[in-house]
Structure formats: structure tokens, C-alpha cells
Amino acid sequence: MKTGYPLTDMNDPGLKAKRILFIVNPISGGRKKNLIIQAIEKRLGNSGIEYRIAETERPGHASDLSREAIAGNTDVIVAVGGDGTINETASAMINTDTSLGIIPTGSGNGLARHLKIPFNLQKALDTILAGKVITIDTGTLDDQVFLNIAGVGYDAFIARKFADAGKRGFLTYLKVITREYRNYKPRKYELVIDGRTIKRRALMVSFANSSQYGNNASIDPTAIIDDGFIDVCIVRKIPLYKLPFIIPLLFMKRFDKTVFVEILKAKEVRVTRKRGKSIHVDGDPFTHGKQFDIKVFPLSLKIIVP
């Protein structure tokens, strides 16, 4: 852990005295984290802002660091990593006065893309120091918080395979999807959406708080991150011969217009499937039971945006 100390005078009169913790995931994405840490130290060393930098050492460590920082009256906690690091960091920040900052360094960076957080390090730091704060909704899958997207079915299956692939990045993700798609069979799901029961056989069911899967792939371009709803995206399996025509629509923000997607807005959803298996929360895979509940928590997280 490295610490910078507040100076008597501030170089930029527009900056307010704040306490900032940077939580760095050293294995997120492919960017060299020592260079990121050096850039943070160079930028903030003469800013008059008290800051600390901590690297995560194990799963769940970001949440522990976040809780400690909140107890110590830290004003801003910055997640330096991908959607998983952001999730862990923010999980301890729900309904607090501490604001979340993001420096995106992950593989997909879905939430950062939705919020238009710059990928350029200096511009991301500019955004954090400017301190424009909005409040967004968060969701839960049972007791697990998600900020971006949670899901069950094929995307959760792929999240598990990707985690086991050993190599990160978009090309690895694409290879896993391509290899597994042909043999994956749709599953039956019972969904109780705000008291209304529907049954669907689906490739996957995604619960979108934002529009982005990551890598600019948008399963639900209409998702609004502060509207008090989670969008339930029910996706049917697309025939192989149609994939070359349908997949580009994910990147053209038109995937929701196809006959293979049904989107329903919800405040609460109960999901029942035949057997327990994989789910994912902001891209991280978990094993879960055959029934779980999705809930939205409106305007529950403060976050810094451009």
C-alpha cells in the first residue's frame, strides 16, 4: 500500500480536499498495473489530495478494502480494474455517501462503456478529479450485488468457461463462445415478474441494469441505469446460419429489435429452473441453486461520471 499526503496549497483551485482510495486489481485485463500506479502517483502527488493505493490480493479483498475506507470517512473509492473489480468495490458502498470512481482496465468494461468513462488513463483521472457525481440503481441476485448485468443460461456458462480459460481478452472470449455455442441446449425457465408468471425456453435470461455486456456489445440498448427497473432480457437460441446476420446487431445497438429477444421491465423477479448450476454477476461466474430472486434498489450508489 502506498500513500500520498496532503499539501498545504493546492495546484488546482477547482479541486476540493478529498480522501481517495484507489483499489487496483493487479491481474485485471492486460495493462501493466505498475505503470498505472506510477501515473496516479505522478498526477496526485502535488494535488493537495490525500490518497492511498491498495492492490487486491485475493477474491473479496476489494470489498474488505472498500468497507475499511468507508469506515475511515474516505470520500471517493476508485476501482482500477474490470467489471468484477468494480462490483467487489461497489458492493460495500451501497447506500453510503462515498462515491465510486472507475479506471477501466478489464476485458469487457461494460459498466464503464455504458457510463462513457474514458479508457485513456489521464482522462479517467481527469473525470475522477472533476468529481461529477450521479446516483444509479443497483440490483441483487439473492444476496449478491450487481451494477451492470447478471444472468443465467448461456452467458453464465460462458463466463465459467472464460474464467477457466487461463487467458483474458476479447479474442479468448470469442473463441469460447464460438466453440461452445453449437452444442449448448436452451433451458426452461419460470419467471415471476412483479407477480406475473411466464414460462420460457431460452438460451439465456439476462438482467440488465445497463445496456452493455462489454466490448461495446449491447444486449439491451434501451436500458436506463437510474429508472428504478431491471430489464429482463429473454434470448432464444439463434440458428447457426443466422448468426452472421444477427451478431453484428449486438454492436450496432439493434439486437433488441430481433425476434430472438424479449425484454420486460421489472422491479422484482423470481427465477426457477430445473436444476441449480451457473449464474453470473457482472461477468463473474458462481454456482447457484435452482431458484433465485432479482431485485432492484433504486438510486443506491453514487458514482463519478464525465
Side-chain angles (χ1 to χ4, degrees), residues 81-101:
D83 286 322
T85 305
I86 294 167
N87 178 288
E88 273 199 26
T89 301
S91 292
M93 300 174 64
I94 306 302
N95 292 320
T96 71
D97 290 328
T98 304
S99 299
L100 174 70

Side-chain angles (χ1 to χ4, degrees), residues 1 18 40-41 108 117-118 127 133 147 176 181 186 242 272 292:
M1 185 177 293
K18 288 182 179 297
I40 293 170
E41 292 175 332
I117 304 293
T127 296
V133 177
L147 280 61
V176 173
Y181 187 80
K242 289 191 176 183
T272 305
F292 56 87

Side-chain angles (χ1 to χ4, degrees), residues 9-264:
D9 296 313
M10 301 174 66
N11 290 343
D12 186 341
L15 294 176
K16 296 179 180 178
K18 288 182 179 297
R19 304 179 71 188
I20 302 177
L21 170 65
F22 292 85
I23 297 177
V24 181
N25 180 351
I27 61 171
S28 173
R31 298 172 69 176
K32 293 183 178 179
K33 301 308 178 296
N34 61 323
L35 297 179
I36 293 175
I37 290 171
Q38 290 170 15
I40 293 170
E41 292 175 332
K42 183 177 180 180
R43 184 65 182 279
L44 271 70
N46 295 318
S47 68
I49 296 174
E50 183 180 356
Y51 72 95
R52 291 186 297 129
I53 301 172
E55 295 187 35
T56 57
E57 300 171 356
R58 52 179 165 75
H61 194 198
S63 292
D64 293 341
L65 291 168
S66 190
R67 275 189 287 271
E68 292 170 6
I70 292 166
N73 297 315
T74 298
D75 300 289
V76 177
I77 301 174
V78 180
V80 184
D83 286 322
T85 305
I86 294 167
N87 178 288
E88 273 199 26
T89 301
S91 292
M93 300 174 64
I94 306 302
N95 292 320
T96 71
D97 290 328
T98 304
S99 299
L100 174 70
I102 297 173
I103 295 177
T105 66
S107 299
N109 303 300
L111 183 66
R113 291 180 189 275
H114 178 90
L115 295 171
K116 296 180 170 47
I117 304 293
F119 283 78
N120 176 277
L121 176 57
Q122 295 300 328
K123 290 182 178 178
L125 285 169
D126 286 343
T127 296
I128 292 161
L129 296 178
K132 177 184 175 183
V133 177
I134 65 170
T135 309
I136 67 170
D137 302 338
T138 59
T140 57
L141 190 158
D142 284 349
D143 59 349
Q144 293 177 277
V145 172
F146 65 94
L147 280 61
N148 193 44
I149 293 181
V152 61
Y154 187 63
D155 58 349
F157 173 77
I158 291 300
R160 173 70 64 189
K161 292 288 184 179
F162 182 60
D164 295 340
K167 188 175 181 180
R168 309 298 287 179
F170 178 69
L171 288 180
T172 301
Y173 193 76
L174 186 61
K175 287 177 183 177
V176 173
I177 290 175
T178 303
R179 183 177 69 235
E180 303 292 344
Y181 187 80
R182 182 187 296 271
N183 294 324
Y184 188 88
K185 295 180 180 179
R187 310 291 200 258
K188 291 181 179 178
Y189 299 98
E190 179 182 277
L191 308 171
V192 182
I193 300 175
D194 293 337
R196 173 192 168 207
T197 300
I198 65 173
K199 295 181 180 181
R200 298 288 189 270
R201 181 182 290 274
L203 177 74
M204 61 190 187
V205 184
S206 296
F207 306 95
N209 190 37
S210 90
S211 64
Q212 275 271 350
Y213 255 132
N215 293 299
N216 274 325
S218 181
I219 189 173
D220 180 13
T222 64
I224 301 171
I225 206 164
D226 58 358
D227 65 350
F229 291 94
I230 293 296
D231 287 15
V232 183
C233 307
I234 305 165
V235 182
R236 293 168 48 209
K237 188 167 186 179
I238 303 164
L240 285 171
Y241 73 92
K242 289 191 176 183
L243 284 176
F245 307 100
I246 299 297
I247 294 303
L249 299 179
L250 278 167
F251 301 93
M252 297 167 64
K253 310 296 186 287
R254 294 177 57 194
F255 188 66
D256 59 319
K257 305 299 183 185
T258 75
V259 297
F260 300 101
V261 183
E262 178 183 6
I263 298 177
L264 303 167

